[in-house]
Amino acid sequence: MIRESSAILSAVLFSATILAHPVRAAEMPIDIQSQPLDRAITAWAMQSGYQVLVSAGRASGSEVAPIKGTYTPERALQLLLASTDLKYQFVNASTVAISAPTNFAGRAPLARTATADEGGGGATGGGEQRENLPSVVVTAQKRSENLVDVPVPVTAITADSLVSTNQVRFQDYYTKVPGLSFLPGVRGEPLIAIRGITTDPYTNPTVSITVDDLPYGSSTLSGGGSTAPDIDPNDLARIEVLRGPQGTLYGATSIGGLVKFITVDPSTEKLTGRAQVGVGGVAHGGDLGFNGRGSVNIPLGKSLAIRASGFKRQQPGYVDNVQSSAKDVNRNDAHGGRLSALWDISEAVSLKLAAMLQDVKSQGASDIYTQAGDLQQLTLPGSGWYERKSDVYTAVLTANLRQTTFTSLSGYNVDHLLANRDFSAFYGALAFPRFGVRGALLGDDRRGTKFAQELRLLTPLGDRVDWLFGLFYTKEHAWASQFVDAANVSTGDVAGRLLNLYIPSTYEEKAVFTDLTVRLTDRFDVQFGGRKSRNEAIQNQVNTGPLAGAGASFSGSSKDDPFTYLVTPRFKITPDMMVYARFASGYRPGAPNYNVVGASALPPTYGADKTQNYELGLKAEAFDRAVAFEASVYDIEWKD
């Protein structure tokens, strides 16, 4: 068992813009009885199909007058809040935030959202009017919530802030996230860990990656899951990083945490576009680098819109290869694009389709050899390059059925890596007696595909219980070809193949999960969750070539039936401050071992490892919601 304890204190300034979203204008029957305000708001949400973000304690109060008739959802909400000082703001097409204005001595309320009397105008009051900083909305728990109300340690980074400062790779912005570690792989690819939960860069991943709530990349090493995708933030809304095990809601490989990429939705509101270009240099680098990105949103009527975006960037190299006389070999080039469409099939049902493509390549490695000189290397000519292509296809169907929100998420992604590097130090001596050369190249050609499907229901069970239920399925197919070629030291030309490893594999995961939040009082609630999974991994390995030896083939499989849980009590000290405890677990699936051939002492398979997290946290907002801060103390037990 490995035990790890740590404490984190972080303070974050939030400044973002909530864009206007179309509000459902169709009238519908509304019937809300006279009852306490918090229950009346719940009844409005059930009947209108909206999700409501409201901090515990902000919507408490005396009974409100009944509302019965045919209204638009917004008009009904205006009537409901008419006798209160609460404000509302539509965060997106399915979510509304309700909050109370905060007054400090000598200062006017900051809220400038619509009230019943204003009919959509700004709030008024004595003194200077100021814009309120909007709430930061996250989907860490598979539903829209204010960041300060989520009993999970989450960091949200807006994509606009990254693009505007040209922080477009993991290595540029990982320091913004407490507990997130970054290590560049031998080809420059990002190897990440959260809260130090990692064993070796080339094992099954410990951090799960999702794009629009769908898992991206492999859950196994053979499928390439050890490296994270370096997604350009060009058409992202934000990046959310969840710290600690997230196995109950997100399944395998999230024993350390989760990184969520959330893309921008098309909007039926209006035609918009954006373009950005820039140039930059690197100290001791070659030519100037450049970047360009753009996007356009095109409404195609009141119920259909498409959005297209693209980017291209070139980051200059700064390392010279003395052996081949090549300059700036570690130059990095990337380009990609995304196309999405949103169709509001009806007032309650919407469908979003999206495709995202990205290609990242480097001419050479960033290795520096001290014996070669400052910012110089000694490697075989033509070695050290890599190219990684990533394709992501998603379909999200959402249906707001009065009291229930049904969501279907379907995804398919492809990850393809081509690379080689100088391996002369390890195999050069073996190359000479067979091919008369003293150089060796290690090459990789790996391709993996992943299909994922998730179905989930979010519904209230009475006035004080929210229930989330979901089914999940994913299947991966991958093949990896790794080879060692004998090569001429002077020219890099290949003289023959020493060894070839061909490793096809499959991985399948099935799961059912549930999450129940019980509001015992207006200020205290408890969240319970559980997930039962079944995983199966199958892997074959065939070794060929002069160095393969005898018995150079192996087939193996492994199965796991893990159960993960979470229990999270939360207490609102004030409307702007809450404390929580979190007891949660995660797991990483087992798999067949590599190179279990001949007289190898390696076991044929290894089992799953698990983490259990015990955590106390505090979240709060202060100074008219200009500052949000959080602190957490946790203990992680890592077993097997």
Side-chain angles (χ1 to χ4, degrees), residues 126-147:
E128 178 188 2
Q129 290 185 349
R130 299 178 57 188
E131 291 289 341
N132 190 13
L133 291 177
S135 300
V136 177
V137 179
V138 296
T139 56
Q141 299 191 112
K142 296 185 182 289
R143 68 196 77 177
S144 297
E145 299 174 283
N146 288 323
L147 178 64

Side-chain angles (χ1 to χ4, degrees), residues 347-359:
E347 289 290 330
V349 181
S350 65
L351 174 65
K352 185 176 77 169
L353 304 174
M356 181 171 64
L357 312 177
Q358 181 169 294
D359 190 340

